[in-house]
């Protein structure tokens, strides 16, 4: 499903959002999930969603691509 983030929502706690994203990466792959989060972050006007998506992207990058940057 295009844009599917496996139940990700800004209203979930950071721990739950990140657990969902880790499962999503196992089902899909890192690049796909990062692209979807980035798309959500860029399209939304809601600052809380932008902040949560950015935070989760940074977390995933640190966890799955520690050598990047």
């Amino acid at each position: 499903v295009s844009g599917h983030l496996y139940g990700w929502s800004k209203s979930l706690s950071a721990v739950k959002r990140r657990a969902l994203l880790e499962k999503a990466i196992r089902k899909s792959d890192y690049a796909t999930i990062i692209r979807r989060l980035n798309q959500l972050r860029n399209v939304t006007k809601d600052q809380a969603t932008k902040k949560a998506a950015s935070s989760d992207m940074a977390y995933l990058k640190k966890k799955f691509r520690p050598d990047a940057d």
Side-chain angles (χ1 to χ4, degrees):
V1 177
S2 178
H4 191 246
L5 280 171
Y6 301 90
W8 185 95
S9 170
K10 71 177 180 186
S11 63
L12 295 173
S13 70
V15 172
K16 288 182 180 179
R17 286 195 323 266
R18 292 169 181 179
L20 275 171
L21 291 171
E22 288 178 28
K23 287 179 187 175
I25 287 172
R26 285 195 291 272
K27 290 179 183 177
S28 192
D29 66 6
Y30 172 81
T32 300
I33 299 305
I34 287 293
R35 266 194 304 273
R36 289 176 183 168
L37 272 174
N38 191 45
Q39 181 181 28
L40 172 67
R41 184 181 67 176
N42 291 340
V43 170
T44 189
K45 293 181 186 214
D46 179 47
Q47 292 303 313
T49 302
K50 274 186 196 275
K51 186 176 178 181
S54 295
S55 172
D56 290 348
M57 287 175 66
Y59 167 80
L60 292 175
K61 185 175 182 182
K62 186 175 179 181
K63 180 168 178 126
F64 291 95
R65 298 288 190 266
D67 54 344
D69 271 349

